[in-house]
Amino acid sequence: MKYERYCTIEEIRFEFIKRLQGVFMICTLGENEIDEIMEIWLNVNIDAHDFIHKDYWLDHYDVVKKSYIPLAKTYVYKENNEITAFISVLEDSFIGALFVKTDYQGRGIGRKLIDYCKTVYLKMELAVYAENVNAISFYKKCDFKKMIEQNNASSGIKEYIMMWNRRG
């Protein structure tokens, strides 16, 4: 014989929160997590930008780690306490980095980070390589619009400046 158990609202809420805590969370970068996000930064850059030699990313690793990341507000996406993605925002509007571990791509994690930042910032802009068609498609789905076409100052490769603002 099967018995059904009826729960109070408080019990349901507690169970829901308990399950969410084990699934994912977005929080600010901890001081001891920089190496972890830099590993993601390097691996995903090499995978996503096969039109740029690997040495370019290796040469820029220290500058990003020691200069850009400390200046940025960085949010990490954790799944079961493992960092699977991060987004870094400079000067309260420029997305300098959005990277999701390769094995976790296509699961909506990047979108969750963008959506989170949309609740924090009134506008955001970013630079994306023109050859990175997957990223361009992703940002368009997140309501970013192409504003400027230019050559990247460091690599010389064509990129787009894309922008989103809360007012549309």
Side-chain angles (χ1 to χ4, degrees):
M1 184 176 219
K2 187 176 179 181
Y3 295 95
E4 289 188 34
R5 180 174 182 266
Y6 294 96
C7 300
T8 66
I9 294 294
E10 290 78 23
E11 288 174 314
I12 293 169
R13 187 178 296 130
F14 176 76
E15 185 63 29
F16 179 72
I17 291 169
K18 191 169 81 176
R19 287 183 185 179
L20 274 182
Q21 287 174 341
V23 179
F24 80 90
M25 71 176 183
I26 296 172
C27 56
T28 55
L29 177 71
E31 287 182 29
N32 60 339
E33 297 173 326
I34 293 174
D35 288 336
E36 197 171 345
I37 67 162
M38 286 306 299
E39 181 180 340
I40 296 169
W41 178 88
L42 182 61
N43 292 334
V44 175
N45 264 318
I46 291 168
D47 288 346
H49 304 110
D50 58 357
F51 49 90
I52 297 175
H53 196 276
K54 178 182 179 178
D55 289 343
Y56 176 84
W57 305 113
L58 293 169
D59 291 344
H60 286 81
Y61 182 93
D62 285 336
V63 172
V64 171
K65 181 179 180 179
K66 294 176 183 171
S67 297
Y68 289 111
I69 295 297
L71 291 174
K73 183 71 173 180
T74 299
Y75 304 97
V76 295
Y77 182 96
K78 292 183 178 182
E79 206 167 287
N80 295 319
N81 292 320
E82 175 190 356
I83 296 175
T84 58
F86 74 97
I87 187 168
S88 294
V89 181
L90 292 155
E91 299 175 354
D92 289 326
S93 67
F94 188 81
I95 298 174
L98 172 57
F99 293 97
V100 178
K101 281 185 176 180
T102 305
D103 292 346
Y104 290 84
Q105 292 176 5
R107 298 184 188 181
I109 296 170
R111 181 65 185 239
K112 287 176 184 166
L113 285 167
I114 290 284
D115 288 346
Y116 178 80
C117 286
K118 285 180 176 181
T119 68
V120 177
Y121 303 102
L122 293 174
K123 65 178 183 169
M124 293 183 287
E125 66 181 72
L126 56 91
V128 59
Y129 285 112
E131 290 185 52
N132 193 347
V133 294
N134 290 337
I136 293 168
S137 175
F138 167 77
Y139 289 122
K140 284 181 177 179
K141 289 176 187 171
C142 293
D143 301 320
F144 282 78
K145 295 177 180 25
K146 279 194 243 181
M147 304 303 284
I148 300 169
E149 180 179 315
Q150 64 187 24
N151 287 333
N152 178 277
S154 178
S155 69
I157 296 173
K158 184 167 77 170
E159 67 181 4
Y160 300 120
I161 302 299
M162 298 182 77
M163 187 175 283
W164 168 87
N165 69 58
R166 199 171 289 164
R167 294 175 290 283

